[in-house]
Amino acid sequence: MEVRLSLSLPRDSTTVPLTRRVLDAALAVFSVTKDCREDIGLAVGEACANAVQHAERGADYEVTVTIQEDRCIIDVVDDGVGVEALAVQQDVDPDAESGRGLKIIHALADIVEFRRRQPRGMALRIVKLLTRTTPAFS
């Protein structure tokens, strides 16, 4: 079994906590542990914040969440200038106001993939293996 949620969101910072809450509620229904939900929430929050910051003015961004038996797959897609996947390799000052989001996502996720979209934009895929308090989809 697979459950998919799709959100089309305006480029507005208020959508970041909204997305986190919707995703947390969905994962709780499927008995995902609180620690695992918090990791996913932080990663998706960072990804959405990047989309809000980098998307073209006035453009929406898309978040698609696929919950499978053993994993959660999150796709965040925007029409912005994008970021270089290699940017995560750079050292970021711990006191910097920005630039830590991709490092946080990499630290929390099991798989992180970037894809450029044509003519512009970026697709970010985050995959997190799930830990549950009870068996999946029981």
Side-chain angles (χ1 to χ4, degrees):
M1 179 187 272
E2 176 176 287
V3 174
R4 182 168 296 161
L5 306 167
S6 293
L7 303 170
S8 180
L9 302 158
R11 185 180 172 260
D12 185 294
S13 62
T14 62
T15 62
V16 176
L18 170 70
T19 303
R20 287 182 66 160
R21 284 192 297 272
V22 167
L23 181 52
D24 185 69
L27 292 167
V29 167
F30 294 104
S31 303
V32 175
T33 64
K34 185 175 189 234
D35 286 346
C36 188
R37 291 192 332 258
E38 287 174 352
D39 286 353
I40 292 169
L42 183 53
V44 79
E46 291 294 336
C48 290
N50 281 341
V52 167
Q53 181 180 2
H54 298 292
E56 200 166 289
R57 189 165 304 284
D60 289 350
Y61 70 101
E62 309 287 329
V63 178
T64 303
V65 178
T66 305
I67 303 170
Q68 298 175 341
E69 186 170 333
D70 66 339
R71 68 192 59 212
C72 180
I73 303 165
I74 302 150
D75 292 298
V76 179
V77 179
D78 68 62
D79 290 329
V81 294
V83 295
E84 292 298 325
L86 295 177
V88 79
Q89 304 295 332
Q90 297 175 355
D91 288 328
V92 178
D93 184 336
D95 296 326
E97 287 292 318
S98 64
R100 297 177 301 215
L102 294 176
K103 285 190 176 288
I104 291 169
I105 292 168
H106 273 273
L108 297 171
D110 293 295
I111 299 170
V112 178
E113 300 172 345
F114 294 90
R115 219 176 48 248
R116 283 214 176 272
R117 297 179 63 224
Q118 297 300 326
R120 70 184 283 141
M122 181 62 74
L124 169 62
R125 173 167 279 182
I126 301 166
V127 179
K128 177 73 173 173
L129 299 178
L130 299 176
T131 54
R132 300 175 183 272
T133 57
T134 61
F137 305 108
S138 54

